Amino acid sequence: MSDDRPNPEALLAAIQQREAAQRRGRLKVFFGMAPGVGKTYAMLAAARRERAAGRDVVIGYVETHGRKETDALAEGLPVVPRHELEHRGVRLSEMDLDAVLARRPQLVLVDEFAHTNGPGSRHPKRCQDVLELLAAGLDVFTTLNVQHVESRAEVVRQITGVPIRETVPDTALNGADFELVDLPPEELRARLAAGKIYLPESARTAQEHFFRPGNLSALRELALRFAAEHVGQDVLAYRQAHGIADPWKSGQRLLVAVSPSPTSAALVRWTRRLAGELQAPWLAVYVELPRPLDEPEQSRLARHLALARELGAEIITTTDDDVVRGILRAAREQNATQLVVGKPAGWQALDLWRGGSVLNRLIRESGCIDVHAVRAQEGQTVAARSRPLHFAKPDRRGYLVALGVVAAVTGLNALLQHWLGYQSLALVYLLSVVTLAMLVSRGPTLAAATLTALLWDFLFVKPYYTFWIGGATDVMLFLTYFVVALAMGHLTARLRAQQAAERHREERATALYLFTRELAGAADYADLLAIVIREAGRVFAAEVALSLPEELPGTPPTPYFASTWALGEKEQGVALWAFRHRQPAGRGTDTLPMAEGLHLPLVAGERAVGVLSLRFRAGAPLAPAQREVLDAFVRHIALVLDRERLREAEQQAKLLAESERLSQTLLNSISHEMRTPIAVITGAVGNLGAPTAGGTAGLQQTMVGEIQEAAGRLNRLVGNLLNMTRLESGHVKARPDWCDVADLIQTTLHETGKELARHRLTVDVAPGLPLARLDFALMQQALSNLLLNAAAHTPAGTPVQLSARRDDGGLTLAVADGGPGLPAEVLPRVFEKFYRAPNAPVGGSGLGLSIVKGFVEAQGGRVSAANRAGGGAIFTIWMPPGPPPNVAEEAAS
């Protein structure tokens, strides 16, 4: 029976992919083998065609490298201004991602997909910027060379000898449309020699190294194959989405059927040789049958699948009770064009019962798929022939249950034969066979069907107690019963086997789902690692060790402290081998198979991010289905760990950029603040030393005043820096005491009298203010900074008001000015460290208000800034009420 219905899982995946594509923007990659083939030119030409068709097209980032023909194509296209950055004194320009998102065009041109953004950008890589644009629903055109694809970077390095520092993960290209921009190597070298790619000095060096003819030919082939692979994936997705069963032979794709048979290893190697000759991808498929495998068969199958995986095959495991149907379903789903199976060693009598041999059925039912029947080597054929026929372990309990049920039903029929005819008794026997099929395996069911047919004939059909059947009607009835009983028992047992297989498949899918859900709910990195160890140990009944590389590059991985398996020196050596070679090692593999556990590298892209080591409590190797689940676990763990690594790298980049920004701001502020008073002091000292004709005393007094003022500025600057350092380190400890508010205000005004001399100062202290519990020194510094801020940011002659009153049970101190006020966007940031308003006057370190906030909050109060209704700004300090002072204690002290 053939099943041509499309796979529901494949259909669901295709529908989900199509829905995701409808929500996301489309990515088109102009792909080339090397710089200079014309990718940017082709992208701009395509963009002009899109604009002519009426689409809104903008340039997010395009690098023309000064080529006239490329500049001419870019001219006239709307451009989003770039975001300017400064890094260690160098000005950098990057795509302004926020501006592009705010502009929301239909199509964005983003050159150099693999580019690394400058420090201070939102994402470390430009490809992440593009992914954000796609997630926002914008279409993107971009350019990429083959050497920047992460899975091809190592191959390019081996070909050219040039290390590739900027790469794009292959997953970033999923679902992208590719346009190959190709150029023969001779023409590309001619463009290089003409100076159309690099400057003449650089061009000569490039021709002798990266742009050698052999290198370019190899890179061209690599680019062509990579683009062809992506086209093949698009074809496969289209066939699955539209339920097209027969493969399209747009490219060769091989599939080999793997089983526990000793000849499977030879089939795998033969398929690998054929795939190498055809330069085609290949797959190894195993069809899991309802019959369980014994330990030797599981071991052989695991070795065959490991061999196929090592030789580069994609492993597929499917479940079916018919090998032929399972193989052909997998071949059609994967668009396989050639199928490789083993050639039968001889004639099998049971093939007649099965409807023909596996090979004959594959040839008949394969349709457009070519079938290769490969004969194994002589030694392996003899070994396969000499193996005894395999019989499953007898189900003794099932046979005993069947025998008991048949005996009970026979006794029941003996009682019922006085009221029912012998035809009705056959139905009772048939009911018992169907019921048994739902309880026991196929063997006991078929035995019960045969035994009930014989007992019905022997005991209840005349003549009694013989197997002789007299009438033709009884003969037909006996044969019909026998066939129906066998068929019903067989079909019911088959349904039970299918149900068990579906249950196993559901268990595997549930395990993956629960594992993914647990990882998604991890609170932090340590929790993530703990979940990996716990879930891997629970699902695979194993002790688990998770080894991760140290922070320093090149260091070997070390076991995580929370691992449930303490690796010995030998096992750590096996794990190190798996990490360095990015291949499984240990128990159940061909590499160091005498190890205690199985060591699986966690590979993300072209690098290993760790090793997962398992020591199975049962001791036996994993079944193929379990190994498939384990491989899925390993791939998911590797992706999650790599994602965490990238997230941490992004955070470090942001922290570094912020640190550099603050350091640059501090350096600029301090250099300006120190330069001015130092210049004043230098000039004043010079004037004091110069000979004068008269008025010496008055001039000296003036110079001394200037020196004192400049020294005061320097003292305040250094004091602000020291205070900010104390706040950052947590060394500011408030020492509250009962203080007179009027005395606090008077002392503060005395300290800031010179700076406020050019303003009209008003002091408004509510009468009868009680003592306040404050740290006198911290609050005086906070008030002084607010008054100095008002004097520095308002014109001379404008009023400055200092007020004190009781409010909400506490003390409120306010400094108001008559200046221009604060812009609305400045108010949330006015207390930030090193922050200066856009129109602030020259000078100042941007620390004064930040220190006010720190000193006030250290005393349990709060500070706020707002604009006054009549103009100007007001800064308000509110201190909570303290317990009333103990008069007796105050008097005693």
Side-chain angles (χ1 to χ4, degrees):
M1 179 180 67
S2 63
D3 189 359
D4 295 330
R5 294 174 299 173
N7 187 345
E9 295 179 358
L11 281 177
L12 179 59
I15 292 172
Q16 291 175 342
Q17 183 177 3
R18 187 162 60 244
E19 290 178 349
Q22 291 174 353
R23 292 191 299 267
R24 288 169 55 88
R26 295 290 300 173
L27 174 64
K28 184 171 184 177
V29 180
F30 292 83
F31 193 65
M33 64 178 176
V37 296
K39 302 179 299 297
T40 304
Y41 186 90
M43 179 180 70
L44 290 170
R48 283 194 166 276
R49 292 193 295 270
E50 294 289 332
R51 193 181 185 206
R55 299 192 71 190
D56 183 14
V57 181
V58 300
I59 294 178
Y61 187 98
V62 168
E63 191 62 65
T64 64
H65 299 286
R67 298 164 190 160
K68 295 181 179 180
E69 60 274 15
T70 310
D71 285 332
L73 277 179
E75 188 176 353
L77 290 176
V79 180
V80 175
R82 298 183 184 182
H83 179 50
E84 298 294 332
L85 303 170
E86 185 172 344
H87 178 61
R88 296 179 180 176
V90 179
R91 300 292 297 178
L92 304 174
S93 62
E94 302 291 351
M95 180 178 68
D96 193 336
L97 181 59
D98 290 325
V100 175
L101 291 172
R103 170 74 166 72
R104 291 203 64 81
Q106 293 177 301
L107 176 62
V108 188
L109 308 185
V110 184
D111 210 358
E112 299 176 358
F113 192 46
H115 172 74
T116 300
N117 290 329
S121 301
R122 181 183 305 177
H123 301 296
K125 305 284 291 185
R126 183 168 293 165
C127 64
Q128 295 172 300
D129 294 341
V130 171
L131 293 178
E132 185 170 344
L133 294 176
L134 296 173
L138 308 182
D139 293 346
V140 177
F141 282 1
T142 190
T143 61
L144 182 67
N145 288 325
V146 67
Q147 71 262 26
H148 297 303
V149 179
E150 188 168 346
S151 62
R152 303 301 192 269
E154 181 63 21
V155 179
V156 174
R157 186 195 65 79
Q158 294 173 358
I159 293 172
T160 63
V162 178
I164 309 301
R165 294 182 176 85
E166 292 184 326
T167 59
V168 171
D170 292 53
T171 53
L173 300 171
N174 289 346
D177 297 327
F178 275 74
E179 181 171 320
L180 184 65
V181 183
D182 189 33
L183 199 65
E186 296 79 10
E187 293 185 21
L188 182 57
R189 283 174 57 84
R191 285 175 53 84
L192 182 66
K196 295 183 177 181
I197 302 177
Y198 299 130
L199 294 175
E201 297 78 8
S202 303
R204 283 192 295 271
T205 304
Q207 275 192 329
E208 296 172 359
H209 295 86
F210 190 87
F211 283 81
R212 288 181 296 183
N215 290 354
L216 294 179
S217 297
L219 292 175
R220 188 186 192 192
E221 181 181 0
L222 202 62
L224 290 169
R225 292 192 180 280
F226 184 82
E229 287 179 12
H230 268 266
V231 173
Q233 293 174 4
D234 294 340
V235 171
L236 177 59
Y238 181 85
R239 289 180 56 257
Q240 292 177 347
H242 292 77
I244 301 173
D246 291 330
W248 289 353
K249 296 187 178 181
S250 54
Q252 296 300 324
R253 191 174 176 87
L254 279 64
L255 185 145
V256 58
V258 179
S259 72
S261 169
T263 62
S264 287
L267 293 180
V268 168
R269 295 188 179 93
W270 192 92
T271 308
R272 175 65 185 89
R273 288 195 298 271
L274 180 60
E277 294 171 1
L278 297 176
Q279 293 294 308
W282 63 294
L283 310 93
V285 62
Y286 165 65
V287 180
E288 183 181 4
L289 298 173
R291 180 183 70 83
L293 301 177
D294 56 26
E295 187 170 340
E297 288 177 326
Q298 289 185 8
S299 179
R300 283 197 304 272
L301 179 61
R303 287 199 302 271
H304 298 159
L305 293 177
L307 174 63
R309 188 180 293 107
E310 182 181 350
L311 294 178
E314 179 184 348
I315 306 300
I316 296 175
T317 301
T318 186
T319 303
D320 207 308
D321 59 351
D322 186 358
V323 175
V324 174
R325 185 167 61 242
I327 293 174
L328 291 178
R329 184 179 66 250
R332 293 188 174 104
E333 289 176 357
Q334 299 300 322
N335 198 33
T337 59
Q338 300 187 38
L339 184 61
V340 180
V341 294
K343 191 175 183 180
W347 184 77
Q348 303 266 346
L350 291 178
D351 288 344
L352 295 177
W353 169 260
R354 299 167 182 163
S357 68
V358 170
L359 177 59
N360 290 336
R361 289 187 57 202
L362 283 173
I363 294 174
R364 286 198 311 268
E365 301 174 17
S366 59
C368 300
I369 304 175
D370 300 329
V371 179
H372 296 270
V374 180
R375 186 176 180 84
Q377 299 176 1
E378 187 63 28
Q380 292 172 328
T381 305
V382 173
R385 280 186 191 172
S386 61
R387 283 189 301 121
L389 289 175
H390 175 83
F391 293 98
K393 185 177 179 180
D395 184 7
R396 293 188 177 90
R397 178 180 173 278
Y399 282 105
L400 290 176
V401 170
L403 186 61
V405 169
V406 170
V409 173
T410 301
L412 178 63
N413 280 344
L415 297 175
L416 295 176
Q417 68 176 340
H418 300 292
W419 297 279
L420 302 176
Y422 65 92
Q423 297 94 339
S424 300
L425 300 180
L427 296 179
V428 176
Y429 271 130
L430 186 60
L431 179 62
S432 67
V433 171
V434 174
T435 304
L436 271 174
M438 293 186 290
L439 301 175
V440 297
S441 59
R442 182 175 304 182
T445 302
L446 298 181
T450 304
L451 186 59
T452 54
L454 295 176
L455 287 175
W456 177 69
D457 176 33
F458 187 79
L459 297 176
F460 301 109
V461 178
K462 296 179 181 179
Y464 300 124
Y465 311 118
T466 67
F467 292 105
W468 175 258
I469 302 176
T473 303
D474 291 341
V475 171
M476 289 294 298
L477 184 60
F478 173 79
L479 292 177
T480 302
Y481 171 81
F482 187 72
V483 172
V484 170
L486 287 178
M488 290 290 291
H490 173 73
L491 291 176
T492 307
R494 178 176 172 181
L495 287 175
R496 288 183 63 244
Q498 289 179 344
Q499 182 184 16
E502 291 296 330
R503 186 169 59 250
H504 292 319
R505 181 186 296 180
E506 180 184 0
E507 290 174 356
R508 295 195 293 269
T510 302
L512 286 173
Y513 165 72
L514 293 176
F515 180 62
T516 304
R517 189 181 66 179
E518 291 290 329
L519 290 180
D524 50 29
Y525 188 65
D527 190 23
L528 177 72
L529 299 181
I531 289 173
V532 168
I533 295 171
R534 183 184 71 241
E535 291 298 312
R538 181 185 64 82
V539 173
F540 302 104
E543 297 174 282
V544 181
L546 183 62
S547 302
L548 301 173
E550 297 291 342
E551 296 296 330
L552 295 176
T555 55
T558 56
Y560 186 59
F561 74 93
S563 300
T564 57
W565 179 24
L567 297 180
E569 184 177 355
K570 177 182 176 182
E571 296 299 318
Q572 287 190 26
V574 181
L576 179 59
W577 188 95
F579 178 80
R580 288 178 174 172
H581 293 82
R582 302 196 297 273
Q583 294 180 5
R587 187 177 182 84
T589 69
D590 293 333
T591 304
L592 305 172
M594 301 305 294
E596 291 184 45
L598 175 63
H599 303 267
L600 301 169
L602 305 173
V603 180
E606 287 294 310
R607 65 186 301 271
V609 297
V611 178
L612 183 68
S613 304
L614 300 99
R615 181 169 64 182
F616 303 104
R617 299 187 183 97
L622 291 177
Q626 290 178 302
R627 180 57 191 270
E628 183 184 10
V629 176
L630 178 57
D631 290 339
F633 266 55
V634 166
R635 289 192 297 270
H636 198 69
I637 293 170
L639 290 175
V640 170
L641 293 181
D642 192 54
R643 183 190 63 191
E644 290 296 321
R645 179 185 64 84
L646 292 175
R647 181 181 300 170
E648 183 177 354
E650 182 178 0
Q651 291 176 349
Q652 291 294 333
K654 289 181 178 179
L655 289 175
L656 179 60
E658 182 65 14
S659 176
E660 290 189 357
R661 186 187 69 81
L662 292 177
S663 299
Q664 187 68 31
T665 303
L666 178 62
L667 180 61
N668 293 337
S669 299
I670 291 178
S671 62
H672 184 275
E673 282 293 289
M674 285 187 169
R675 188 181 298 116
T676 302
I678 288 174
V680 173
I681 293 173
T682 303
V685 170
N687 290 333
L688 285 175
T692 58
T696 304
L699 178 61
Q700 287 182 348
Q701 185 68 28
T702 303
M703 294 299 104
V704 170
E706 291 181 356
I707 291 174
Q708 290 176 341
E709 183 180 354
R713 288 186 63 184
L714 282 177
N715 185 52
R716 283 196 301 273
L717 174 63
V718 174
N720 281 340
L721 290 174
L722 290 176
N723 287 332
M724 182 53 64
T725 304
R726 290 168 60 203
L727 286 171
E728 293 278 339
S729 60
H731 290 163
V732 174
K733 303 297 182 184
R735 294 178 176 84
D737 199 357
W738 295 105
C739 306
D740 186 352
V741 177
D743 188 22
L744 171 68
I745 293 176
Q746 189 66 30
T747 304
T748 303
L749 293 177
H750 177 73
E751 292 289 335
T752 58
K754 287 186 178 181
E755 288 78 4
L756 294 171
R758 296 183 299 115
H759 292 75
R760 292 184 286 111
L761 179 65
T762 303
V763 179
D764 180 16
V765 179
L769 276 181
L771 296 178
R773 192 168 178 79
L774 307 168
D775 186 311
F776 192 93
L778 295 183
M779 187 55 69
Q780 179 192 339
Q781 183 66 51
L783 275 179
S784 296
N785 283 2
L786 289 180
L787 290 171
L788 292 174
N789 180 75
H793 292 81
T794 57
T798 55
V800 174
Q801 181 181 7
L802 173 59
S803 61
R805 66 183 185 278
R806 289 181 62 86
D807 192 7
D808 294 335
L811 173 66
T812 298
L813 301 171
V815 175
D817 61 57
L822 296 169
E825 65 273 9
V826 169
L827 287 173
R829 304 186 58 190
V830 72
F831 293 104
E832 289 183 8
K833 188 171 53 177
F834 301 122
Y835 180 75
R836 291 175 52 79
N839 297 323
V842 177
S845 61
L847 292 174
L849 294 180
S850 180
I851 292 172
V852 171
K853 184 174 185 291
F855 281 2
V856 171
E857 291 179 350
Q859 301 176 73
R862 61 176 183 263
V863 61
S864 61
N867 286 317
R868 303 172 65 189
I874 180 169
F875 292 84
T876 305
I877 297 175
W878 182 84
M879 297 299 299
N886 190 320
V887 179
E889 290 182 0
E890 292 289 335
S893 62

